[in-house]
């Protein structure tokens, strides 16, 4: 074995959301940065607590230097890791977790939600709604809290919260369609902030298919590659996955934290959907980016 191989560390990456484009984006960035460090990636694809426990126990045969969680499958993950892999540190990147003691590297969701509310208010939208996942974590709910707070400052209530049972486009489509069929036109929201882009794309498709003069501005979160497509022109809050991963690996492998780093701040990517008219194939003149 050569010296380079002998010095390589093995980092476990835990996830269960490979249908989520942003998770794949994060996975790509994690492996890229670990490769650049000369380290190896062990991918742990788990979907339940029992499976996580079994997989961690099997991983005990390997000299793992740390675990990166891109998604969370149970509230006691750290306890399971401590039992199966004593001394192995963990960190979450932009992922939901119900464990208040978990170290999570994520953008400031509250500030992002507040800025999105101000963007929609500036367009003259009077009735704002929010689409969330049924299993949204406290980290993700900060987006809704910041959004609602900025609306309240402008003396506008958060009119409706639409709940999707999972981060799935079809589920979001059905939830939005059910709302449109149930709400009277006079009471219907005309602006919607969605917890992530997967929900936003499902909601936008439902609005288009519903027709009947329903014009609802939509803003997403994550800025996945499909958000850029001419089909959608989705305005979205972009998390800097490169900076998030850099900060997470710095903490996990070097014990170095940069709490006030640029990784905390995202970028609002303005396209067309926040205007409320989702026209196929049309690019609005404000297809630009606001950077922080």
């Amino acid at each position: 074995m050569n010296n380079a191989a002998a010095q390589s560390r093995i980092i476990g990456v835990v996830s269960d959301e490979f249908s989520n484009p942003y998770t794949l984006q994060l996975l790509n960035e994690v492996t890229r940065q670990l490769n650049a460090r000369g380290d190896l990636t062990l991918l742990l694809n788990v979907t339940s607590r029992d499976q996580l426990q079994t997989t961690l126990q099997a991983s005990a045969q390997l000299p793992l230097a740390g675990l990166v969680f891109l998604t969370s499958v149970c509230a006691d993950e750290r306890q399971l890791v401590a039992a199966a892999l004593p001394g192995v540190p963990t960190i979450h990147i932009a992922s939901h977790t119900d464990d208040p003691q978990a170290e999570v590297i994520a953008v400031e969701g509250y500030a992002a939600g507040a800025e999105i509310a101000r963007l929609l208010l500036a367009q003259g939208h009077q009735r704002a709604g929010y689409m969330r996942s049924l299993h949204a974590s406290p980290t993700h709910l900060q987006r809704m809290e910041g959004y609602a707070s900025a609306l309240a400052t402008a003396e506008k209530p958060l009119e409706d919260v639409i709940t999707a049972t999972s981060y799935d486009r079809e589920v979001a489509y059905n939830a939005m369609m059910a709302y449109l069929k149930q709400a009277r036109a006079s009471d219907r929201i005309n602006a919607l902030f969605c917890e992530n882009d997967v929900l936003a794309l499902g909601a936008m498709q439902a609005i288009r298919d519903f027709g009947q003069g329903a014009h609802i501005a939509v803003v997403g979160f994550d800025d996945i590659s499909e958000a850029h497509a001419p089909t959608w022109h989705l305005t979205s809050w972009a998390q800097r996955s490169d900076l998030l991963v850099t900060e997470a690996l710095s903490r996990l492998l070097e014990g170095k934290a940069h709490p006030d780093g640029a990784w905390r701040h995202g970028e609002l990517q303005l396209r067309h959907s926040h205007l409320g008219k989702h026209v196929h194939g049309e690019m609005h003149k404000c297809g630009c980016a606001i950077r922080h």
Side-chain angles (χ1 to χ4, degrees), residues 77-276:
E77 289 160 340
R78 289 187 308 110
Q79 289 80 2
L80 294 180
V81 173
L85 304 169
V88 174
T90 65
I91 199 161
H92 288 68
I93 305 179
S95 65
H96 58 276
T97 176
D98 294 325
D99 182 356
Q101 301 302 316
E103 188 169 22
V104 180
I105 304 301
V107 298
E108 293 182 343
Y110 188 93
E115 184 158 344
I116 289 168
R118 290 190 289 268
L119 170 70
L120 293 172
L121 290 169
Q123 299 303 318
H125 303 306
Q126 298 297 310
R127 298 180 62 82
Y130 185 85
M131 180 177 283
R132 55 162 292 183
S133 165
L134 179 64
H135 305 292
S137 71
T139 300
H140 284 176
L141 288 177
Q142 289 176 6
R143 303 169 190 178
M144 183 172 71
E145 292 167 1
Y147 183 64
S149 177
L151 291 173
T153 298
E155 299 183 344
K156 300 289 184 183
L158 176 54
E159 297 283 353
D160 289 294
V161 176
I162 302 169
T163 301
T165 55
S166 64
Y167 291 124
D168 179 88
R169 190 181 303 194
E170 185 175 355
V171 170
Y173 177 95
N174 291 334
M176 190 68 201
M177 187 63 75
Y179 168 80
L180 291 170
K181 290 178 178 179
Q182 167 267 327
R184 295 186 301 178
S186 59
D187 296 333
R188 191 180 298 143
I189 59 172
N190 52 32
L192 179 69
F193 172 30
C194 296
E195 202 162 77
N196 69 11
D197 287 349
V198 172
L199 297 183
L201 296 179
M204 287 180 69
Q205 188 62 60
I207 294 165
R208 290 176 176 179
D209 289 353
F210 183 75
Q212 301 182 41
H215 297 298
I216 300 176
V218 177
V219 177
F221 201 101
D222 286 341
D223 197 38
I224 62 176
S225 59
E226 196 174 355
H228 311 185
T231 302
W232 303 110
H233 291 311
L234 175 63
T235 294
S236 182
W237 190 270
Q239 303 190 70
R240 286 291 304 273
S241 58
D242 56 338
L243 300 182
L244 291 170
V245 171
T246 297
E247 176 67 16
L249 295 183
S250 176
R251 295 188 182 203
L252 186 73
L253 301 177
E254 302 168 13
K256 297 179 181 178
H258 308 88
D260 298 319
W263 61 270
R264 295 181 62 86
H265 309 290
E267 302 169 350
L268 181 57
Q269 303 291 337
L270 295 179
R271 297 187 180 93
H272 186 261
S273 65
H274 68 284
L275 301 176

Side-chain angles (χ1 to χ4, degrees), residues 14-18 44-57 69 71-78 80-81 96:
V14 182
S15 186
D16 71 338
E17 286 188 357
F18 294 109
L44 307 178
N45 183 0
V46 297
T47 58
S48 69
R49 183 185 184 280
D50 289 344
Q51 190 176 33
L52 174 62
Q53 187 173 36
T54 300
T55 302
L56 290 174
Q57 291 170 348
F69 284 84
T71 56
S72 179
V73 295
C74 59
D76 61 342
E77 289 160 340
R78 289 187 308 110
L80 294 180
V81 173
H96 58 276

Side-chain angles (χ1 to χ4, degrees), residues 3-11 31-41 253:
N3 291 336
Q7 295 173 0
S8 295
R9 294 167 294 190
I10 301 175
I11 311 302
T31 56
R32 187 190 70 79
Q33 291 197 27
L34 287 175
N35 287 344
R37 287 171 171 265
D39 296 325
L40 303 175
T41 305
L253 301 177

